[in-house]
Structures are given as C-alpha cells and as structure tokens.
mmCIF file of all heavy atoms in Angstrom:
data_model
loop_
_atom_site.group_PDB
_atom_site.id
_atom_site.type_symbol
_atom_site.label_atom_id
_atom_site.label_comp_id
_atom_site.label_asym_id
_atom_site.label_seq_id
_atom_site.Cartn_x
_atom_site.Cartn_y
_atom_site.Cartn_z
ATOM 1 N N GLN A 54 12.452 -9.027 14.894
ATOM 2 C CA GLN A 54 12.447 -9.969 16.156
ATOM 3 C C GLN A 54 11.210 -10.785 16.157
ATOM 4 O O GLN A 54 11.293 -11.984 16.527
ATOM 5 C CB GLN A 54 12.460 -9.021 17.410
ATOM 6 C CG GLN A 54 13.691 -8.353 17.673
ATOM 7 C CD GLN A 54 13.625 -7.254 18.774
ATOM 8 O OE1 GLN A 54 12.487 -7.170 19.392
ATOM 9 N NE2 GLN A 54 14.635 -6.500 19.012
ATOM 10 N N MET A 55 10.099 -10.266 15.748
ATOM 11 C CA MET A 55 8.832 -11.114 15.672
ATOM 12 C C MET A 55 8.991 -12.231 14.779
ATOM 13 O O MET A 55 8.549 -13.285 14.972
ATOM 14 C CB MET A 55 7.681 -10.172 15.204
ATOM 15 C CG MET A 55 7.257 -9.033 16.173
ATOM 16 S SD MET A 55 6.506 -9.542 17.645
ATOM 17 C CE MET A 55 6.380 -7.973 18.484
ATOM 18 N N MET A 56 9.563 -11.887 13.564
ATOM 19 C CA MET A 56 9.697 -12.938 12.562
ATOM 20 C C MET A 56 10.640 -14.121 13.086
ATOM 21 O O MET A 56 10.355 -15.222 12.848
ATOM 22 C CB MET A 56 10.304 -12.393 11.262
ATOM 23 C CG MET A 56 9.241 -11.545 10.551
ATOM 24 S SD MET A 56 10.081 -10.657 9.095
ATOM 25 C CE MET A 56 8.584 -10.205 8.187
ATOM 26 N N GLU A 57 11.649 -13.715 13.800
ATOM 27 C CA GLU A 57 12.570 -14.729 14.321
ATOM 28 C C GLU A 57 11.896 -15.455 15.422
ATOM 29 O O GLU A 57 12.183 -16.697 15.578
ATOM 30 C CB GLU A 57 13.776 -14.017 14.936
ATOM 31 C CG GLU A 57 14.853 -13.600 13.863
ATOM 32 C CD GLU A 57 15.873 -12.651 14.348
ATOM 33 O OE1 GLU A 57 16.139 -12.648 15.626
ATOM 34 O OE2 GLU A 57 16.441 -11.897 13.582
ATOM 35 N N ALA A 58 11.027 -14.850 16.198
ATOM 36 C CA ALA A 58 10.359 -15.600 17.234
ATOM 37 C C ALA A 58 9.335 -16.679 16.700
ATOM 38 O O ALA A 58 8.997 -17.621 17.406
ATOM 39 C CB ALA A 58 9.510 -14.601 18.087
ATOM 40 N N LYS A 59 8.891 -16.443 15.452
ATOM 41 C CA LYS A 59 7.983 -17.494 14.788
ATOM 42 C C LYS A 59 6.831 -17.882 15.671
ATOM 43 O O LYS A 59 6.575 -19.073 15.874
ATOM 44 C CB LYS A 59 8.809 -18.675 14.455
ATOM 45 C CG LYS A 59 9.896 -18.503 13.388
ATOM 46 C CD LYS A 59 10.366 -19.897 12.868
ATOM 47 C CE LYS A 59 11.305 -19.770 11.635
ATOM 48 N NZ LYS A 59 12.513 -19.037 11.841
ATOM 49 N N PHE A 60 6.081 -16.918 16.144
ATOM 50 C CA PHE A 60 4.867 -17.228 16.928
ATOM 51 C C PHE A 60 3.873 -17.850 16.019
ATOM 52 O O PHE A 60 3.665 -17.328 14.872
ATOM 53 C CB PHE A 60 4.277 -15.938 17.492
ATOM 54 C CG PHE A 60 5.103 -15.267 18.624
ATOM 55 C CD1 PHE A 60 5.454 -13.934 18.500
ATOM 56 C CD2 PHE A 60 5.674 -15.971 19.668
ATOM 57 C CE1 PHE A 60 6.308 -13.326 19.439
ATOM 58 C CE2 PHE A 60 6.522 -15.434 20.659
ATOM 59 C CZ PHE A 60 6.771 -14.020 20.500
ATOM 60 N N PRO A 61 3.219 -18.964 16.438
ATOM 61 C CA PRO A 61 2.206 -19.541 15.608
ATOM 62 C C PRO A 61 1.110 -18.547 15.164
ATOM 63 O O PRO A 61 0.731 -17.698 16.008
ATOM 64 C CB PRO A 61 1.681 -20.721 16.371
ATOM 65 C CG PRO A 61 2.585 -20.883 17.521
ATOM 66 C CD PRO A 61 3.374 -19.555 17.674
ATOM 67 N N ARG A 62 0.654 -18.579 13.974
ATOM 68 C CA ARG A 62 -0.448 -17.757 13.505
ATOM 69 C C ARG A 62 -0.234 -16.247 13.354
ATOM 70 O O ARG A 62 -1.020 -15.507 13.050
ATOM 71 C CB ARG A 62 -1.727 -17.869 14.337
ATOM 72 C CG ARG A 62 -2.389 -19.303 14.428
ATOM 73 C CD ARG A 62 -3.616 -19.345 15.335
ATOM 74 N NE ARG A 62 -4.510 -18.289 14.940
ATOM 75 C CZ ARG A 62 -4.757 -17.240 15.666
ATOM 76 N NH1 ARG A 62 -4.072 -16.979 16.718
ATOM 77 N NH2 ARG A 62 -5.599 -16.357 15.284
ATOM 78 N N VAL A 63 1.037 -15.805 13.682
ATOM 79 C CA VAL A 63 1.350 -14.403 13.654
ATOM 80 C C VAL A 63 2.015 -14.084 12.288
ATOM 81 O O VAL A 63 3.001 -14.697 11.914
ATOM 82 C CB VAL A 63 2.265 -13.972 14.797
ATOM 83 C CG1 VAL A 63 2.692 -12.540 14.660
ATOM 84 C CG2 VAL A 63 1.535 -14.191 16.120
ATOM 85 N N GLU A 64 1.438 -13.156 11.595
ATOM 86 C CA GLU A 64 2.106 -12.631 10.339
ATOM 87 C C GLU A 64 2.669 -11.295 10.588
ATOM 88 O O GLU A 64 2.127 -10.496 11.476
ATOM 89 C CB GLU A 64 1.017 -12.592 9.204
ATOM 90 C CG GLU A 64 0.474 -13.920 8.814
ATOM 91 C CD GLU A 64 -0.599 -13.802 7.756
ATOM 92 O OE1 GLU A 64 -0.707 -12.719 7.056
ATOM 93 O OE2 GLU A 64 -1.400 -14.729 7.708
ATOM 94 N N MET A 65 3.694 -10.899 9.938
ATOM 95 C CA MET A 65 4.264 -9.601 10.113
ATOM 96 C C MET A 65 4.500 -8.933 8.768
ATOM 97 O O MET A 65 5.518 -8.239 8.515
ATOM 98 C CB MET A 65 5.688 -9.801 10.782
ATOM 99 C CG MET A 65 5.558 -9.938 12.291
ATOM 100 S SD MET A 65 5.109 -8.316 13.095
ATOM 101 C CE MET A 65 3.936 -8.838 14.285
ATOM 102 N N ASP A 66 3.467 -9.003 7.907
ATOM 103 C CA ASP A 66 3.610 -8.325 6.575
ATOM 104 C C ASP A 66 3.395 -6.851 6.524
ATOM 105 O O ASP A 66 3.796 -6.238 5.613
ATOM 106 C CB ASP A 66 2.614 -9.030 5.642
ATOM 107 C CG ASP A 66 2.881 -10.500 5.402
ATOM 108 O OD1 ASP A 66 4.031 -10.918 5.651
ATOM 109 O OD2 ASP A 66 1.954 -11.237 5.139
ATOM 110 N N ILE A 67 2.637 -6.342 7.516
ATOM 111 C CA ILE A 67 2.259 -4.905 7.499
ATOM 112 C C ILE A 67 3.082 -4.059 8.489
ATOM 113 O O ILE A 67 3.083 -4.464 9.635
ATOM 114 C CB ILE A 67 0.769 -4.775 7.666
ATOM 115 C CG1 ILE A 67 -0.057 -5.529 6.677
ATOM 116 C CG2 ILE A 67 0.319 -3.280 7.684
ATOM 117 C CD1 ILE A 67 -1.619 -5.506 6.848
ATOM 118 N N LEU A 68 3.681 -3.073 7.984
ATOM 119 C CA LEU A 68 4.234 -2.044 8.803
ATOM 120 C C LEU A 68 3.451 -0.696 8.554
ATOM 121 O O LEU A 68 3.696 -0.109 7.546
ATOM 122 C CB LEU A 68 5.696 -1.754 8.620
ATOM 123 C CG LEU A 68 6.682 -2.800 9.201
ATOM 124 C CD1 LEU A 68 8.153 -2.274 8.998
ATOM 125 C CD2 LEU A 68 6.417 -3.075 10.685
ATOM 126 N N SER A 69 2.594 -0.343 9.501
ATOM 127 C CA SER A 69 1.763 0.878 9.295
ATOM 128 C C SER A 69 2.495 1.989 9.986
ATOM 129 O O SER A 69 2.493 2.098 11.185
ATOM 130 C CB SER A 69 0.405 0.638 9.880
ATOM 131 O OG SER A 69 -0.340 1.901 9.963
ATOM 132 N N MET A 70 3.160 2.897 9.179
ATOM 133 C CA MET A 70 3.887 3.938 9.749
ATOM 134 C C MET A 70 4.082 5.095 8.726
ATOM 135 O O MET A 70 4.141 4.802 7.518
ATOM 136 C CB MET A 70 5.229 3.449 10.368
ATOM 137 C CG MET A 70 6.176 2.891 9.334
ATOM 138 S SD MET A 70 7.584 2.142 10.244
ATOM 139 C CE MET A 70 8.755 1.872 8.878
ATOM 140 N N GLY A 71 4.071 6.296 9.230
ATOM 141 C CA GLY A 71 4.234 7.471 8.296
ATOM 142 C C GLY A 71 2.860 8.167 8.153
ATOM 143 O O GLY A 71 1.878 7.526 7.873
ATOM 144 N N MET A 72 2.911 9.491 8.410
ATOM 145 C CA MET A 72 1.767 10.310 8.161
ATOM 146 C C MET A 72 2.173 11.430 7.212
ATOM 147 O O MET A 72 3.288 11.394 6.666
ATOM 148 C CB MET A 72 1.183 10.801 9.486
ATOM 149 C CG MET A 72 0.841 9.621 10.422
ATOM 150 S SD MET A 72 -0.193 10.014 11.882
ATOM 151 C CE MET A 72 0.858 11.179 12.758
ATOM 152 N N SER A 73 1.280 12.459 7.096
ATOM 153 C CA SER A 73 1.558 13.549 6.108
ATOM 154 C C SER A 73 2.984 14.096 6.204
ATOM 155 O O SER A 73 3.645 14.288 5.222
ATOM 156 C CB SER A 73 0.542 14.578 6.204
ATOM 157 O OG SER A 73 -0.706 14.157 5.757
ATOM 158 N N GLY A 74 3.433 14.367 7.428
ATOM 159 C CA GLY A 74 4.695 15.030 7.584
ATOM 160 C C GLY A 74 5.959 14.150 7.446
ATOM 161 O O GLY A 74 7.066 14.632 7.271
ATOM 162 N N ASP A 75 5.732 12.810 7.452
ATOM 163 C CA ASP A 75 6.936 11.946 7.601
ATOM 164 C C ASP A 75 6.844 10.669 6.740
ATOM 165 O O ASP A 75 7.601 9.776 6.937
ATOM 166 C CB ASP A 75 7.329 11.630 9.042
ATOM 167 C CG ASP A 75 6.073 10.984 9.772
ATOM 168 O OD1 ASP A 75 5.192 10.441 9.149
ATOM 169 O OD2 ASP A 75 6.096 11.115 11.049
ATOM 170 N N PHE A 76 5.871 10.599 5.833
ATOM 171 C CA PHE A 76 5.660 9.336 5.139
ATOM 172 C C PHE A 76 6.824 8.947 4.221
ATOM 173 O O PHE A 76 7.091 7.769 3.935
ATOM 174 C CB PHE A 76 4.291 9.281 4.488
ATOM 175 C CG PHE A 76 4.187 10.086 3.166
ATOM 176 C CD1 PHE A 76 4.723 9.703 2.039
ATOM 177 C CD2 PHE A 76 3.464 11.362 3.282
ATOM 178 C CE1 PHE A 76 4.546 10.530 0.844
ATOM 179 C CE2 PHE A 76 3.292 12.077 2.166
ATOM 180 C CZ PHE A 76 3.867 11.726 0.944
ATOM 181 N N LYS A 77 7.556 9.948 3.724
ATOM 182 C CA LYS A 77 8.669 9.632 2.804
ATOM 183 C C LYS A 77 9.743 8.868 3.581
ATOM 184 O O LYS A 77 10.285 7.899 3.126
ATOM 185 C CB LYS A 77 9.142 10.886 2.120
ATOM 186 C CG LYS A 77 8.289 11.447 1.078
ATOM 187 C CD LYS A 77 8.604 12.812 0.591
ATOM 188 C CE LYS A 77 8.203 13.817 1.543
ATOM 189 N NZ LYS A 77 8.108 15.206 1.038
ATOM 190 N N VAL A 78 10.018 9.406 4.827
ATOM 191 C CA VAL A 78 11.046 8.735 5.660
ATOM 192 C C VAL A 78 10.603 7.308 6.037
ATOM 193 O O VAL A 78 11.297 6.418 6.013
ATOM 194 C CB VAL A 78 11.243 9.602 6.955
ATOM 195 C CG1 VAL A 78 12.259 8.900 7.889
ATOM 196 C CG2 VAL A 78 11.799 10.995 6.588
ATOM 197 N N ALA A 79 9.261 7.234 6.288
ATOM 198 C CA ALA A 79 8.701 5.965 6.693
ATOM 199 C C ALA A 79 8.860 4.904 5.594
ATOM 200 O O ALA A 79 9.254 3.722 5.796
ATOM 201 C CB ALA A 79 7.217 6.119 7.078
ATOM 202 N N ILE A 80 8.606 5.376 4.338
ATOM 203 C CA ILE A 80 8.767 4.461 3.181
ATOM 204 C C ILE A 80 10.219 4.044 3.041
ATOM 205 O O ILE A 80 10.528 2.822 2.846
ATOM 206 C CB ILE A 80 8.181 5.121 1.859
ATOM 207 C CG1 ILE A 80 6.721 5.270 1.922
ATOM 208 C CG2 ILE A 80 8.696 4.338 0.657
ATOM 209 C CD1 ILE A 80 6.111 6.112 0.842
ATOM 210 N N GLU A 81 11.141 4.936 3.247
ATOM 211 C CA GLU A 81 12.513 4.645 3.179
ATOM 212 C C GLU A 81 12.892 3.592 4.250
ATOM 213 O O GLU A 81 13.887 2.844 4.035
ATOM 214 C CB GLU A 81 13.401 5.891 3.318
ATOM 215 C CG GLU A 81 13.348 6.845 2.120
ATOM 216 C CD GLU A 81 13.963 8.218 2.386
ATOM 217 O OE1 GLU A 81 14.594 8.411 3.514
ATOM 218 O OE2 GLU A 81 13.775 9.112 1.565
ATOM 219 N N GLU A 82 12.210 3.573 5.363
ATOM 220 C CA GLU A 82 12.545 2.675 6.448
ATOM 221 C C GLU A 82 11.689 1.384 6.447
ATOM 222 O O GLU A 82 11.732 0.619 7.392
ATOM 223 C CB GLU A 82 12.366 3.391 7.769
ATOM 224 C CG GLU A 82 13.420 4.523 8.019
ATOM 225 C CD GLU A 82 14.872 4.036 7.876
ATOM 226 O OE1 GLU A 82 15.195 2.856 8.185
ATOM 227 O OE2 GLU A 82 15.757 4.925 7.347
ATOM 228 N N GLY A 83 10.841 1.188 5.441
ATOM 229 C CA GLY A 83 10.178 -0.054 5.299
ATOM 230 C C GLY A 83 8.743 -0.070 5.479
ATOM 231 O O GLY A 83 8.078 -1.136 5.517
ATOM 232 N N ALA A 84 8.053 1.136 5.541
ATOM 233 C CA ALA A 84 6.505 1.158 5.675
ATOM 234 C C ALA A 84 5.887 0.401 4.524
ATOM 235 O O ALA A 84 6.373 0.459 3.430
ATOM 236 C CB ALA A 84 6.016 2.538 5.718
ATOM 237 N N THR A 85 4.842 -0.381 4.841
ATOM 238 C CA THR A 85 4.030 -0.949 3.706
ATOM 239 C C THR A 85 2.680 -0.294 3.665
ATOM 240 O O THR A 85 1.954 -0.513 2.696
ATOM 241 C CB THR A 85 3.759 -2.479 4.010
ATOM 242 O OG1 THR A 85 2.954 -2.587 5.149
ATOM 243 C CG2 THR A 85 5.138 -3.220 4.184
ATOM 244 N N LEU A 86 2.284 0.534 4.687
ATOM 245 C CA LEU A 86 1.018 1.267 4.717
ATOM 246 C C LEU A 86 1.229 2.584 5.335
ATOM 247 O O LEU A 86 1.760 2.666 6.435
ATOM 248 C CB LEU A 86 0.053 0.384 5.528
ATOM 249 C CG LEU A 86 -1.410 0.761 5.597
ATOM 250 C CD1 LEU A 86 -1.983 0.836 4.248
ATOM 251 C CD2 LEU A 86 -2.106 -0.306 6.445
ATOM 252 N N ILE A 87 0.964 3.663 4.615
ATOM 253 C CA ILE A 87 1.062 4.975 5.174
ATOM 254 C C ILE A 87 -0.329 5.604 5.383
ATOM 255 O O ILE A 87 -1.205 5.353 4.652
ATOM 256 C CB ILE A 87 1.980 5.910 4.329
ATOM 257 C CG1 ILE A 87 1.419 6.025 2.927
ATOM 258 C CG2 ILE A 87 3.429 5.365 4.265
ATOM 259 C CD1 ILE A 87 2.098 7.077 2.065
ATOM 260 N N ARG A 88 -0.410 6.422 6.460
ATOM 261 C CA ARG A 88 -1.732 7.006 6.904
ATOM 262 C C ARG A 88 -1.675 8.445 6.629
ATOM 263 O O ARG A 88 -1.174 9.218 7.433
ATOM 264 C CB ARG A 88 -1.989 6.701 8.337
ATOM 265 C CG ARG A 88 -1.813 5.225 8.714
ATOM 266 C CD ARG A 88 -2.038 4.968 10.178
ATOM 267 N NE ARG A 88 -1.265 5.753 11.067
ATOM 268 C CZ ARG A 88 0.011 5.369 11.511
ATOM 269 N NH1 ARG A 88 0.577 4.341 11.050
ATOM 270 N NH2 ARG A 88 0.701 6.202 12.350
ATOM 271 N N VAL A 89 -2.299 8.906 5.508
ATOM 272 C CA VAL A 89 -2.122 10.347 5.080
ATOM 273 C C VAL A 89 -3.491 10.995 5.052
ATOM 274 O O VAL A 89 -4.388 10.526 4.413
ATOM 275 C CB VAL A 89 -1.445 10.398 3.684
ATOM 276 C CG1 VAL A 89 -1.367 11.867 3.246
ATOM 277 C CG2 VAL A 89 -0.003 9.755 3.796
ATOM 278 N N GLY A 90 -3.566 12.189 5.736
ATOM 279 C CA GLY A 90 -4.837 12.915 5.737
ATOM 280 C C GLY A 90 -4.645 14.318 5.236
ATOM 281 O O GLY A 90 -5.064 14.747 4.162
ATOM 282 N N THR A 91 -3.903 15.123 6.045
ATOM 283 C CA THR A 91 -3.741 16.541 5.761
ATOM 284 C C THR A 91 -3.180 16.834 4.350
ATOM 285 O O THR A 91 -3.675 17.735 3.698
ATOM 286 C CB THR A 91 -2.798 17.114 6.807
ATOM 287 O OG1 THR A 91 -3.117 16.611 8.077
ATOM 288 C CG2 THR A 91 -2.893 18.655 6.872
ATOM 289 N N SER A 92 -2.169 16.078 3.953
ATOM 290 C CA SER A 92 -1.588 16.289 2.665
ATOM 291 C C SER A 92 -2.613 16.128 1.492
ATOM 292 O O SER A 92 -2.399 16.639 0.417
ATOM 293 C CB SER A 92 -0.408 15.373 2.425
ATOM 294 O OG SER A 92 0.643 15.671 3.305
ATOM 295 N N VAL A 93 -3.652 15.326 1.735
ATOM 296 C CA VAL A 93 -4.577 15.192 0.669
ATOM 297 C C VAL A 93 -5.819 16.033 0.881
ATOM 298 O O VAL A 93 -6.279 16.684 -0.108
ATOM 299 C CB VAL A 93 -5.065 13.647 0.616
ATOM 300 C CG1 VAL A 93 -6.270 13.440 -0.349
ATOM 301 C CG2 VAL A 93 -3.826 12.795 0.140
ATOM 302 N N PHE A 94 -6.330 16.102 2.033
ATOM 303 C CA PHE A 94 -7.649 16.778 2.242
ATOM 304 C C PHE A 94 -7.445 18.224 2.753
ATOM 305 O O PHE A 94 -8.438 18.943 2.898
ATOM 306 C CB PHE A 94 -8.436 16.008 3.344
ATOM 307 C CG PHE A 94 -8.817 14.606 2.846
ATOM 308 C CD1 PHE A 94 -8.403 13.472 3.582
ATOM 309 C CD2 PHE A 94 -9.574 14.463 1.704
ATOM 310 C CE1 PHE A 94 -8.734 12.188 3.162
ATOM 311 C CE2 PHE A 94 -9.863 13.157 1.223
ATOM 312 C CZ PHE A 94 -9.469 12.070 1.978
ATOM 313 N N GLY A 95 -6.263 18.616 3.082
ATOM 314 C CA GLY A 95 -6.030 19.963 3.594
ATOM 315 C C GLY A 95 -5.998 19.996 5.162
ATOM 316 O O GLY A 95 -6.265 19.025 5.815
ATOM 317 N N GLN A 96 -5.620 21.109 5.733
ATOM 318 C CA GLN A 96 -5.425 21.265 7.171
ATOM 319 C C GLN A 96 -6.765 21.011 7.889
ATOM 320 O O GLN A 96 -7.821 21.426 7.464
ATOM 321 C CB GLN A 96 -4.916 22.702 7.530
ATOM 322 C CG GLN A 96 -3.497 22.944 7.175
ATOM 323 C CD GLN A 96 -2.518 22.049 7.935
ATOM 324 O OE1 GLN A 96 -2.848 21.684 9.136
ATOM 325 N NE2 GLN A 96 -1.431 21.698 7.431
ATOM 326 N N ARG A 97 -6.647 20.424 9.081
ATOM 327 C CA ARG A 97 -7.810 20.259 9.921
ATOM 328 C C ARG A 97 -7.926 21.491 10.862
ATOM 329 O O ARG A 97 -6.940 22.221 11.019
ATOM 330 C CB ARG A 97 -7.761 19.000 10.757
ATOM 331 C CG ARG A 97 -7.876 17.751 9.878
ATOM 332 C CD ARG A 97 -7.764 16.561 10.722
ATOM 333 N NE ARG A 97 -6.514 16.509 11.436
ATOM 334 C CZ ARG A 97 -5.421 15.916 11.043
ATOM 335 N NH1 ARG A 97 -5.440 15.292 9.875
ATOM 336 N NH2 ARG A 97 -4.371 15.918 11.722
ATOM 337 N N TYR A 98 -9.079 21.581 11.526
ATOM 338 C CA TYR A 98 -9.235 22.747 12.431
ATOM 339 C C TYR A 98 -8.607 22.614 13.747
ATOM 340 O O TYR A 98 -8.409 23.518 14.467
ATOM 341 C CB TYR A 98 -10.773 23.031 12.566
ATOM 342 C CG TYR A 98 -11.410 23.299 11.306
ATOM 343 C CD1 TYR A 98 -12.401 22.393 10.725
ATOM 344 C CD2 TYR A 98 -11.117 24.425 10.575
ATOM 345 C CE1 TYR A 98 -12.987 22.659 9.538
ATOM 346 C CE2 TYR A 98 -11.712 24.649 9.356
ATOM 347 C CZ TYR A 98 -12.623 23.839 8.827
ATOM 348 O OH TYR A 98 -13.213 24.039 7.687
ATOM 349 N N LEU A 99 -8.306 21.351 14.071
ATOM 350 C CA LEU A 99 -7.784 21.062 15.416
ATOM 351 C C LEU A 99 -6.406 20.457 15.329
ATOM 352 O O LEU A 99 -6.160 19.744 14.365
ATOM 353 C CB LEU A 99 -8.731 20.180 16.233
ATOM 354 C CG LEU A 99 -10.124 20.745 16.580
ATOM 355 C CD1 LEU A 99 -11.187 19.708 16.747
ATOM 356 C CD2 LEU A 99 -10.011 21.670 17.760
ATOM 357 N N PRO A 100 -5.567 20.644 16.367
ATOM 358 C CA PRO A 100 -4.174 20.124 16.237
ATOM 359 C C PRO A 100 -4.149 18.586 16.334
ATOM 360 O O PRO A 100 -5.117 17.934 16.785
ATOM 361 C CB PRO A 100 -3.515 20.708 17.504
ATOM 362 C CG PRO A 100 -4.626 21.035 18.403
ATOM 363 C CD PRO A 100 -5.786 21.361 17.568
ATOM 364 N N ASP A 101 -3.087 18.060 15.854
ATOM 365 C CA ASP A 101 -2.893 16.558 15.901
ATOM 366 C C ASP A 101 -3.139 15.900 17.275
ATOM 367 O O ASP A 101 -3.681 14.870 17.429
ATOM 368 C CB ASP A 101 -1.481 16.146 15.512
ATOM 369 C CG ASP A 101 -1.420 15.716 13.990
ATOM 370 O OD1 ASP A 101 -2.539 15.594 13.433
ATOM 371 O OD2 ASP A 101 -0.343 15.578 13.474
#
C-alpha cells in the first residue's frame, strides 16, 4: 500500500520482521531483515 501511495522521499525496501522463534516464517513472507538473539547467544534470564 505504501509503494502504491508513492509518498515523496519514502522508501520501502526494508521489512524488519522475524525473531528467533519465527524468522523462517518471516523470511517466507518477505522479511529483508531478521532480528535474532536467543538462537545465537542462548537463553536470556528474563522473559521476552
């Protein structure tokens, strides 16, 4: 919708979505940037 609206100076290249538990689904749906912590660094001490 944003791309169709063609707002001046607005780019829509980045879709930041998907974290450790769901990044594969996010990639399948078009994510260009995934934010992964726990899967790489291990569990944190406090809940999400």
